[in-house]
Amino acid sequence: MAEDVPRRQPTLDAVAELAGVSRSVASRALNNAPHVSRAKRDAVERAVRQLGYVPNPTARALATRQTGAAALVVSGEDPSIFADPFFAQVIVGASQALDEADLHLMLCLAASARGRKRVEELFRSKGADGVMMMALREDDPLPGMAQEAGMPVVFGGRPVGPAPRWYVDVDNVGGAREATEYLVSRGRTRVAAICGRLDTEAGRARYRGYRDALLAAGLDPLPPQEGDFTEPSGAAATAVLLADHPDVDGVFAANDNMAAGALRTLRSAGRAVPADVAVVGFDDLTVAQVADPPLTTVHQPITALGREMARMLVNVISGQDPTPLILPTRLVTRSSA
């Protein structure tokens, strides 16, 4: 007589699949953790009964330490940064993905000493299951704090330096190159760049794309005029640019806010756009559509950036090891170039 084959014990993954939820949601539901809807708890309980699932005591102990929250940490001091259209769209995308996983979103500012201390306390107390970090500058202490605390971290936009293990970014170099190539194709030969902060990877990468496009066309790149991604900084950088290079006939601004500032200064200086100076931005925010004239710009999928960043973090929290993700950009042509 053939020996009886031992029946395999059902797994948490099988419970999650039958219940139609993620593994992390199934784990939290079984351990009465917060931020799990009643409908999903009921679905998990039905799956447990149907499969005869018995939780592993060790896994159960780990699951009960989960907080049911993920933090978005931005290296900025002004709370109004979360009202900026860029970060607002990131938050929408991240919230959507975290809601699917029944995780609560926490927002943290961490540029000031007080803000960094609060975030460090969050890390040390394991007040969140994982962290998303954005707007980091060179030598920012935040990644080191998270690593020391053993927190799972996903970066929104690569930080300066060696590539981290988990990040979601957009094709900054390719988008800036396409924007500059477009200006050259329109007959512009003295094209300048208003960069974002050069202690950020986005600022550096977008200047590289600008420079590469001009060199490929046999034209000389101008030294970068640095801004801080705000409209006033774009206006100020353009004023300096016009004083140093009055023959400029094209401007690539590393985001739409700075491009809007460039339009304001050009108008004040009596330069017609695009007849005298063509302008291209980056982001494709609402300001690009309502600018006068409407901005030609590089569209980046900002909501998708937030959503994919959060999805990656959920996968990391669940014990997976996802690969970094680069999202594509595309040029949107309007009247400014």
Side-chain angles (χ1 to χ4, degrees), residues 36-85:
V36 180
S37 68
R38 183 70 262 170
K40 291 181 179 179
R41 287 185 191 277
D42 291 343
V44 170
E45 289 171 3
R46 285 195 298 272
V48 166
R49 289 194 298 270
Q50 185 172 336
L51 294 173
Y53 173 74
V54 178
N56 178 285
T58 302
R60 189 177 188 119
L62 289 172
T64 57
R65 294 210 303 266
Q66 293 185 338
T67 68
L72 173 61
V73 177
V74 177
S75 191
E77 298 181 6
D78 185 357
S80 67
I81 193 171
F82 290 122
D84 181 286

Side-chain angles (χ1 to χ4, degrees), residues 45-328:
E45 289 171 3
R46 285 195 298 272
V48 166
R49 289 194 298 270
Q50 185 172 336
L51 294 173
Y53 173 74
V54 178
N56 178 285
T58 302
R60 189 177 188 119
L62 289 172
T64 57
R65 294 210 303 266
Q66 293 185 338
T67 68
L72 173 61
V73 177
V74 177
S75 191
E77 298 181 6
D78 185 357
S80 67
I81 193 171
F82 290 122
D84 181 286
F86 177 86
F87 285 103
Q89 290 185 44
V90 168
I91 291 169
V92 167
S95 296
Q96 291 171 346
L98 293 177
D99 184 62
E100 293 170 1
D102 279 339
L103 284 171
H104 174 65
L105 176 62
M106 303 168 58
L107 302 178
C108 305
L109 291 172
S112 68
R114 180 178 296 178
R116 283 193 296 272
K117 183 174 179 58
R118 284 197 301 267
V119 171
E120 188 173 11
E121 290 172 352
L122 174 73
F123 292 166
R124 288 179 175 174
S125 67
K126 298 295 193 294
D129 294 331
V131 179
M132 298 168 284
M133 288 190 183
M134 299 193 72
L136 299 179
R137 300 175 187 175
E138 191 173 15
D139 299 325
D140 198 303
L142 291 174
M145 291 180 187
Q147 184 176 13
E148 184 177 342
M151 293 286 287
V153 178
V154 170
F155 294 88
R158 275 188 55 181
V160 174
R165 187 171 182 178
W166 301 302
Y167 68 88
V168 180
D169 205 351
V170 299
D171 186 5
N172 289 303
V173 173
R177 183 190 302 119
E178 185 178 13
T180 308
E181 288 172 347
Y182 181 75
L183 287 167
V184 172
S185 75
R186 307 294 287 179
R188 310 296 166 154
T189 59
R190 291 290 286 168
V191 180
I194 301 175
C195 301
R197 297 183 60 102
L198 292 176
D199 59 356
T200 67
E201 179 59 27
R204 295 181 182 185
R206 292 176 193 179
Y207 182 72
R208 287 199 301 272
Y210 152 85
R211 181 195 60 201
D212 291 350
L214 287 185
L215 290 175
L219 299 173
D220 294 327
L222 296 178
Q225 292 294 329
E226 187 174 356
D228 63 3
F229 295 111
T230 65
E231 194 271 355
S233 75
T238 305
V240 174
L241 180 64
L242 292 178
D244 293 347
H245 306 282
D247 60 342
V248 67
D249 60 5
V251 172
F252 164 63
N255 81 337
D256 290 342
N257 292 331
M258 293 192 299
L263 293 178
R264 177 160 62 89
T265 294
L266 290 169
R267 187 181 306 111
S268 298
R271 302 290 185 96
V273 178
D276 299 328
V277 182
V279 178
V280 178
F282 200 112
D283 282 342
D284 198 20
L285 300 173
T286 301
V287 66
Q289 302 173 39
V290 302
D292 183 20
L295 272 172
T296 292
T297 188
V298 177
H299 174 86
Q300 64 164 317
I302 304 172
T303 302
L305 173 65
R307 182 170 58 248
E308 295 303 326
M309 181 172 56
R311 284 177 176 171
M312 184 174 291
L313 181 62
V314 169
N315 288 337
V316 173
I317 293 171
S318 300
Q320 301 178 42
D321 187 14
T323 57
L325 178 63
I326 304 294
L327 301 174

